[in-house]
Amino acid sequence: AYSHAAMDSINSAFSVLAVCTGNICRSPAVEHLLRSALGEDASVRVASAGTHALVGHPVAGPMAALLHSRGIDTSGFSARQLAVPMLADADLVLALTRQHRSAIVTEQPRALRRTFTLREFARLVASGAAPVPEAGGAASSGTGSAASIEAGTAAERLARLVDQAGARRGSHGHEPILDDVVDPWRRSEAVYAESLRQITEALDSIESALSS
């Protein structure tokens, strides 16, 4: 069964908010790539913001170039400052690092259940993760979980993944730093490429879970 928050999200567009620091490198990449992956599915809205945004700035040149090479047009993008109403409205908040996640939860404690780092969320929803207890307390099989995600819009499937990720949080040992995406701002093109690689790898896992 979906949580009340998940059910509310299904009744309107499901809102995903990506958050980094300046909102000119990492979070815009998540916004544009996830929106592109979702295509024409209007059940999900994707946006981004920064904890210390360079308000009004476009996507940083090196990241824009990397996204353009993937067929993503970033023209018209304008960085914006994270605000509490954005967090209150979001059904899923994807922070780019643990520090961003902490800042988000400090600003809006009620967002804790639906706030993850991007790589954390990808890890928690990846295929082969441990079975998730159903509402009645019995663990479902991996096949059953996949079947429950298959039906419906992307909004419904994302709502289910948020519930599953929340149930799995803290259940798998890993290196905490692996939940962060490296900040490429004012660094080499190689670091920009690595940052985007980490983002696309995580998004690929999320997209795979959505279509399983």
Side-chain angles (χ1 to χ4, degrees):
Y2 295 120
S3 66
H4 290 302
M7 287 302 295
D8 289 343
S9 73
I10 292 169
N11 294 329
S12 60
F14 187 98
S15 175
V16 180
L17 180 68
V19 178
C20 69
T21 304
N23 192 214
I24 60 171
C25 297
R26 292 168 290 178
S27 57
V30 174
E31 174 185 346
H32 284 87
L33 289 167
L34 183 55
R35 186 182 295 140
S36 176
L38 292 167
E40 299 300 319
D41 194 320
S43 69
V44 179
R45 293 183 287 110
V46 187
S48 65
T51 56
H52 295 82
L54 296 176
V55 177
H57 285 228
V59 177
M63 185 62 78
L66 287 170
L67 292 171
H68 182 74
S69 71
R70 291 172 172 266
I72 303 294
D73 180 11
T74 63
S75 62
F77 177 84
S78 181
R80 61 180 188 160
Q81 177 64 33
L82 180 67
V84 170
M86 298 178 193
L87 296 173
D89 180 62
D91 299 294
L92 171 60
V93 183
L94 295 174
L96 272 295
T97 68
R98 290 163 292 153
Q99 183 177 5
H100 297 128
R101 183 184 61 196
S102 295
I104 289 162
V105 174
T106 298
E107 190 75 14
Q108 179 73 357
R110 292 183 179 181
L112 173 63
R113 188 199 64 81
R114 47 198 163 83
T115 301
F116 307 83
T117 76
L118 173 69
R119 299 180 80 185
E120 174 192 23
F121 188 71
R123 172 173 53 80
L124 293 172
V125 303
S127 299
V132 179
E134 297 290 354
S140 64
S141 67
T143 302
S145 295
S148 69
I149 295 169
E150 284 177 5
T153 64
E156 292 172 319
R157 298 195 300 274
L158 272 169
R160 180 64 172 172
L161 290 181
V162 171
D163 283 346
Q164 290 182 350
R168 291 173 177 145
R169 181 151 37 192
S171 62
H172 303 281
H174 68 287
E175 290 292 331
I177 196 170
L178 296 179
D179 282 345
D180 295 347
V181 171
V182 64
D183 184 3
W185 175 236
R186 291 181 173 175
R187 300 178 70 181
S188 69
E189 290 185 3
V191 179
Y192 272 94
E194 173 60 15
S195 183
L196 186 60
R197 185 197 67 77
Q198 293 175 357
I199 289 169
T200 54
E201 184 178 78
L203 289 175
D204 285 346
S205 293
I206 294 169
E207 292 161 26
S208 178
L210 282 171
S211 60
S212 293

